[in-house]
Amino acid sequence: MSMSCKKILVVGAGLSGAVVAREMAEKGHQVTVIDKRNHVAGNAYDFVNEYGIRVHQYGPHLFHTSNDKVVAWLSRFTEWLPYQHKVKALLADGRHVTLPVNKETSELVGKENVLDIFFRPYTQKMWGVELEDLDPTIRQRVPIRDDLNELYFPNDTFQALPKAGYTQMVKNILDHERIQVQLSVAYDKRMNTEHDWVFNAMPIDEYFDFKHGPLPYRSIKFHTTTVPIPKVLPTATVNFTHSEPFTRTTEWQLLPGHGKNPAYTTLTTEEPCDYKDNHMERYYPVKDSGGENLARYRRYEAEPKGNVTFIGRCGLYAYLDMHQAVSSALSISQGFQKVSPF
Ligand SMILES: Cc1cc2nc3c(=O)[nH]c(=O)nc-3n(C[C@H](O)[C@H](O)[C@H](O)COP(=O)(O)OP(=O)(O)OC[C@H]3O[C@@H](n4cnc5c(N)ncnc54)[C@H](O)[C@@H]3O)c2cc1C
């Protein structure tokens, strides 16, 4: 091994870990990527089921960004199918209306009812709290529009799905002679001494044995079913406004490149819950209005970390969309290369 070729461990084969691994391998380092799951791609993992339909195991992943650098980087590893996501909300009377609420939707339900129909029940289900208790930045996330635009992501310049799926895209990122991937392998602290540097996407509170207390997350139970009907929903995703615990259903075949079964269709319905009620599956960091969770994260962030850099959603305790995860991983690895101790 040359002086400049170091042993790097990447914990987590999700997008964040895959991007860091690739950047490090291209710099000449020898990289091992481990994941405790039996697949790569983290929460963006998708697969084709026995009906020939592509399903995203951890809920619908729509790629949308205005970050050209991220698009250029990922485009080395995938072709794209253009796709602009549209969502309908199902009202109590059976009508479907456009979501996020636009001019047409607010006129149909009455502007004064928008908060109670769309936001209040969603907040209770998604975050397990009342609308008023929510961090204002989350409240601002789904704006009410004063036009007839029907797009779920109206402002992003690039909206597409990887042609052969997210799993294949991540496999392509990891396909490098200096990257070795080991699945179904959980991180162990002894690995720090066996490597020159560790990039770690595991939950930061777990790494430090919860010494400052646990960082809470919301999770989702996914209920997937296949029915002998060619098509069920008016759009790929339909959100619910009722008070049942379910937030939305996605019909996979309505996304481009997700199969064309003429007789069957597969649907996934989401039921949000606390992560403790879902095998500690951590999906969304909880932003409490008092900011206590962030303050707790800062205490973990300030801990001495030796040869470990935390990356990704759970390492940074931040809700990162895929383009943000890629952008953050690129900054961390490129920044690291500048100040590298090697
Ligand atoms: C329900 C849901 C829907 C989403 N929808 C979208 C969307 O529409 N558009 C979008 O842009 N983004 C979406 N995202 C976000 C997207 O999933 C992430 O941005 C992306 O997956 C990058 O995540 P990551 O690599 O940082 O973490 P992850 O994907 O969580 O990967 C981290 C990996 O680390 C592994 N790991 C953890 N602990 C250990 C350990 N101790 N040892 C070994 N391995 C470990 C995990 O198994 C996991 O595979 C969604 C996320 C969720 C949860």
Side-chain angles (χ1 to χ4, degrees), residues 122 140 227 237 286:
Y122 179 81
Q140 287 151 14
V227 291
T237 299
V286 177

Side-chain angles (χ1 to χ4, degrees), residues 11-17 34-37 39 41-44 58-64 153 185-187 201-203 206 220 222 248 270 282-284 311-314 319-323 325:
V11 181
L15 262 175
S16 301
I34 59 165
D35 202 298
K36 64 180 184 180
R37 289 173 172 164
H39 60 73
N43 288 335
Y58 306 95
H61 277 64
L62 294 318
F63 187 78
H64 60 98
F153 307 110
V185 175
Y187 170 76
M202 74 183 283
E206 192 179 314
I220 294 180
F222 298 103
R248 59 178 181 177
E270 295 173 47
R282 297 164 165 89
Y283 294 154
Y284 302 99
I311 59 169
R313 284 175 328 112
C314 294
Y319 184 83
L320 300 175
D321 270 331
M322 290 180 283
H323 66 107

Side-chain angles (χ1 to χ4, degrees), residues 23-72:
E23 286 285 306
M24 290 297 143
E26 288 182 356
K27 279 281 162 200
H29 301 304
Q30 200 64 44
V31 185
T32 301
V33 181
I34 59 165
D35 202 298
K36 64 180 184 180
R37 289 173 172 164
N38 63 1
H39 60 73
V40 300
N43 288 335
Y45 173 70
D46 57 15
F47 64 96
V48 177
N49 71 9
E50 66 263 45
Y51 298 91
I53 297 167
R54 183 180 302 286
V55 173
H56 304 184
Q57 181 152 315
Y58 306 95
H61 277 64
L62 294 318
F63 187 78
H64 60 98
T65 187
S66 297
N67 187 331
D68 296 340
K69 197 175 146 196
V70 166
V71 175

Side-chain angles (χ1 to χ4, degrees), residues 56-334:
H56 304 184
Q57 181 152 315
Y58 306 95
H61 277 64
L62 294 318
F63 187 78
H64 60 98
T65 187
S66 297
N67 187 331
D68 296 340
K69 197 175 146 196
V70 166
V71 175
W73 197 91
L74 287 176
S75 299
R76 293 170 54 202
F77 306 102
T78 186
E79 291 178 52
W80 300 97
L81 293 172
Y83 172 68
Q84 293 184 304
H85 196 47
K86 290 182 186 168
V87 174
K88 294 282 180 196
L90 177 63
L91 300 179
D93 62 10
R95 279 181 301 169
H96 286 104
V97 293
T98 298
L99 207 70
V101 177
N102 66 2
K103 191 162 180 274
E104 186 190 23
T105 301
S106 63
E107 280 171 8
L108 277 168
V109 302
K111 219 169 190 163
E112 66 285 3
N113 299 319
V114 163
L115 215 62
D116 284 333
I117 294 177
F118 300 103
F119 293 94
R120 197 170 297 285
Y122 179 81
T123 305
Q124 283 161 343
K125 294 180 219 188
M126 184 63 210
W127 298 103
V129 295
E130 294 303 318
L131 189 63
E132 286 69 22
D133 297 332
L134 209 61
D135 181 291
T137 59
I138 299 180
R139 262 182 273 162
Q140 287 151 14
R141 248 185 141 180
V142 191
I144 300 175
R145 289 198 296 252
D146 203 23
D147 56 28
L148 294 173
N149 193 323
E150 286 188 305
L151 300 183
Y152 199 66
F153 307 110
N155 302 321
D156 285 321
T157 52
F158 185 86
Q159 302 187 38
L161 299 173
K163 197 170 180 181
Y166 291 103
T167 306
Q168 190 57 51
M169 179 177 80
V170 172
K171 280 184 179 166
N172 294 345
I173 296 171
L174 292 168
D175 183 15
H176 188 283
E177 57 180 0
R178 281 187 293 277
I179 299 178
Q180 197 209 12
V181 180
Q182 297 174 3
L183 298 177
S184 306
V185 175
Y187 170 76
D188 182 310
K189 278 219 175 86
R190 279 170 296 194
M191 293 173 179
N192 289 0
T193 50
E194 295 159 7
H195 296 85
D196 295 303
W197 206 266
V198 179
F199 291 92
N200 200 330
M202 74 183 283
I204 191 166
D205 55 343
E206 192 179 314
Y207 178 89
F208 286 109
D209 300 319
F210 306 101
K211 65 192 283 190
H212 301 299
L215 293 170
Y217 287 82
R218 289 297 279 177
S219 193
I220 294 180
K221 291 178 187 166
F222 298 103
H223 306 281
T224 298
T225 172
T226 300
V227 291
I229 304 171
K231 180 177 181 283
V232 176
L233 301 180
T235 45
T237 299
V238 167
N239 278 37
F240 305 119
T241 55
H242 56 43
S243 55
E244 302 288 310
F246 311 105
T247 44
R248 59 178 181 177
T249 294
T250 297
E251 185 170 359
W252 299 105
Q253 272 191 117
L254 302 189
L255 296 172
H258 281 60
K260 285 203 187 316
N261 190 319
Y264 289 88
T265 193
T266 301
L267 304 110
T268 299
T269 298
E270 295 173 47
E271 180 185 1
C273 60
D274 189 278
Y275 75 122
K276 294 196 197 81
D277 300 326
N278 192 29
H279 314 287
M280 309 304 268
E281 282 279 344
R282 297 164 165 89
Y283 294 154
Y284 302 99
V286 177
K287 284 191 180 183
D288 52 326
S289 53
E292 281 163 34
N293 298 339
L294 194 60
R296 184 170 292 170
Y297 165 69
R298 295 280 177 231
R299 288 198 279 280
Y300 284 113
E301 195 192 19
E303 285 287 331
K305 298 185 202 71
N307 63 340
V308 180
T309 299
F310 283 89
I311 59 169
R313 284 175 328 112
C314 294
L316 303 173
Y317 196 59
Y319 184 83
L320 300 175
D321 270 331
M322 290 180 283
H323 66 107
Q324 295 164 319
V326 172
S327 175
S328 164
L330 284 175
S331 311
I332 288 172
S333 33
Q334 288 162 5

